[in-house]
Amino acid sequence: MKTKIALMTAVMAFSYTFAQENPHLKSYSEKIDSIVVSEKSKMNAELDDVDRNFKDKKITAEEKQKQRADIASKYEETINQKVDAQQSELENATKSMVRSAVLGKKDSLYHGKNQLELGLGGVKMKINKDKTPKDYLRTWELAVSLTGANLTEKNEFFKFYNKDSDVRSTIINSSQFVLRYENQLGGFTSPVFYRIGLGVRSDRYVPKYGKVFMQQDNTLFVDEFTRGNLKRTYLGNGYIFVPVDLKFVLNPKYVVHEGVKYLDNKKSQLNVVAGIYGGVRTQSVIYNKYSNEDSKKIVEKERVMQGVNNFVFGGKFGIGYGGINLFIQKDFTPLFNNDAQMKKKYGLQIGIEIANVNF
């Protein structure tokens, strides 16, 4: 739920900016707002009934707390399902935005105004354009990335599609949000920058067809699902992590301001990034959705109690141009420990930064 809320927040933040120019995105935003407001109103009405019954002494304090928790859980699941049902609307909105960026004309922007741009360089926001070239060499940036998370061996650095793995090889099943500070190393014409940040990472690992993650006798493993018709399943890991990067500009461009030559960091330039990261696991959950003879929709969420390491450390390499950045990253420490009966235990991700907000 936390991951979904974070993604909804990021999408809605951009959608309000593009709403006047992109009716698809405006429609998606309005539908999500309507879902949340409607379900929250229904939930509050049920909660008021529970409070009224408690005040009239029809139920005990323990029954009150249990009923409130059940109601909250029910509406959380309802909102999740209705938001998932709008996925096609978001895809249409994204396609429309990309089509406009490629085929449409650039809007004229007034000097000194904040700017939000979408183009082949990705989604870029620039706040307070009236800066000197020196100011652009020190920036704060919010980066949003989508990645495909896979499992591999310790020494298999680039093997993304591993037939021996217990999980499927999927294109997009992970996301990252990072707030980072970037500054130049060396003089004003140096092509080298360092970056340090704080972020959250969410990975989802889907077992191969017909199987699910299970816990038994202090062991985490993957086995056949035998309790009905499996519709959706995954193991989700969440982390808070700190990335430290070095960025090298390959085709530096320069500008002269008041007699001083600076690297022009406002220009879109080709660059490579190499770095490391370390993080702490915040949660691990097994999610199963299935149907059987008694119910068409059964959802189970189980907290992972063993088999997953609490810390992660790894390395990253990427290449980018403007706001588009492609990268690969490998966890040097295993995600799963000796309590997990997994064939592959090291995380390997390939990803793309889809949004960069520069302050």
Side-chain angles (χ1 to χ4, degrees):
M1 183 65 177
K2 293 180 180 178
T3 303
K4 187 179 292 295
I5 291 174
L7 289 171
M8 287 169 57
T9 302
V11 170
M12 291 171 66
F14 285 112
S15 69
Y16 282 118
T17 306
F18 287 104
Q20 300 301 321
E21 301 172 356
N22 194 306
H24 294 289
L25 202 55
K26 181 178 179 181
S27 175
Y28 176 77
S29 175
E30 290 175 348
K31 287 181 180 180
I32 296 301
D33 283 344
S34 176
I35 289 171
V36 174
V37 171
S38 176
E39 296 303 322
K40 187 175 181 180
S41 175
K42 296 176 185 178
M43 181 182 72
N44 288 336
E46 292 192 26
L47 293 176
D48 289 341
D49 290 339
V50 173
D51 292 339
R52 195 176 301 111
N53 289 337
F54 174 74
K55 186 176 181 181
D56 295 339
K57 298 182 179 181
K58 295 181 179 179
I59 58 175
T60 64
E62 290 78 11
E63 291 173 330
K64 172 188 173 183
Q65 294 299 324
K66 183 179 183 304
Q67 291 182 19
R68 288 180 66 89
D70 291 342
I71 291 171
S73 178
K74 179 181 70 174
Y75 280 96
E76 175 184 337
E77 176 63 23
T78 299
I79 292 175
N80 282 343
Q81 293 172 355
K82 291 188 175 182
V83 169
D84 286 341
Q86 300 298 323
Q87 185 66 30
S88 60
E89 186 74 14
L90 177 59
E91 293 174 355
N92 290 335
T94 304
K95 291 177 181 178
S96 176
M97 290 165 60
V98 173
R99 189 182 305 112
S100 298
V102 175
L103 301 178
K105 296 182 180 179
K106 292 185 177 180
D107 294 333
S108 59
L109 298 172
Y110 294 101
H111 179 74
K113 292 291 186 73
N114 299 333
Q115 299 184 39
L116 181 61
E117 301 175 357
L118 173 65
L120 295 179
V123 179
K124 298 187 292 183
M125 179 184 289
K126 296 180 181 180
I127 299 177
N128 186 10
K129 188 182 179 183
D130 292 331
K131 295 181 180 180
T132 67
K134 180 180 178 181
D135 295 327
Y136 280 99
L137 300 176
R138 300 187 303 269
T139 61
W140 284 93
E141 182 177 67
L142 176 64
V144 182
S145 304
L146 296 179
T147 69
N150 297 276
L151 294 176
T152 185
E153 293 283 1
K154 181 177 181 179
N155 299 322
E156 295 175 343
F157 288 95
F158 302 108
K159 196 170 183 180
F160 293 104
Y161 301 100
N162 200 318
K163 295 181 180 180
D164 296 330
S165 177
D166 295 293
V167 300
R168 301 184 206 171
S169 297
T170 52
I171 298 176
I172 298 294
N173 57 353
S174 178
S175 61
Q176 296 181 174
F177 296 80
V178 179
L179 177 64
R180 63 196 179 203
Y181 172 73
E182 179 177 290
N183 200 352
Q184 190 178 34
L185 283 175
F188 293 140
T189 59
S190 171
V192 183
F193 292 78
Y194 72 88
R195 301 193 304 202
I196 184 169
L198 178 66
V200 293
R201 165 179 152 184
S202 175
D203 299 338
R204 290 186 177 184
Y205 297 100
V206 181
K208 292 189 174 178
Y209 299 98
K211 295 185 178 182
V212 296
F213 281 94
M214 296 184 180
Q215 299 181 101
Q216 187 175 349
D217 298 329
N218 296 322
T219 301
L220 178 69
F221 57 96
V222 173
D223 204 353
E224 297 289 340
F225 185 78
T226 59
R227 292 181 289 125
N229 181 25
L230 186 64
K231 297 182 177 180
R232 189 183 182 193
T233 182
Y234 62 81
L235 184 148
N237 286 334
Y239 301 89
I240 295 177
F241 71 104
V242 175
V244 179
D245 301 331
L246 283 177
K247 185 177 81 171
F248 304 87
V249 179
L250 300 182
N251 62 332
K253 301 175 183 178
Y254 302 95
V255 62
V256 177
H257 179 74
E258 296 181 352
V260 180
K261 187 177 181 180
Y262 298 89
L263 185 143
D264 191 355
N265 212 26
K266 292 192 299 181
K267 300 291 186 180
S268 295
Q269 301 177 87
L270 184 66
N271 63 81
V272 295
V273 174
I276 59 174
Y277 56 88
V280 179
R281 182 172 63 95
T282 57
Q283 66 172 358
S284 293
V285 176
I286 296 173
Y287 176 95
N288 292 322
K289 181 178 180 181
Y290 63 97
S291 62
N292 57 24
E293 295 179 354
D294 299 322
S295 176
K296 294 183 178 180
K297 183 178 60 180
I298 302 174
V299 174
E300 296 179 342
K301 292 183 179 180
E302 181 182 1
R303 182 179 178 184
V304 177
M305 303 303 295
Q306 61 274 318
V308 184
N309 286 326
N310 291 323
F311 301 97
V312 64
F313 174 76
K316 173 183 176 181
F317 178 81
I319 185 169
Y321 182 80
I324 289 291
N325 298 282
L326 301 173
F327 64 90
I328 57 174
Q329 61 185 35
K330 171 68 182 295
D331 297 330
F332 299 150
T333 55
L335 298 180
F336 298 93
N337 57 35
N338 292 334
D339 292 330
Q341 295 179 358
M342 306 286 294
K343 299 175 183 176
K344 311 293 181 180
K345 297 186 178 182
Y346 288 81
L348 178 65
Q349 296 92 32
I350 180 169
I352 179 173
E353 289 186 3
I354 60 172
N356 294 279
V357 181
N358 295 303
F359 301 93

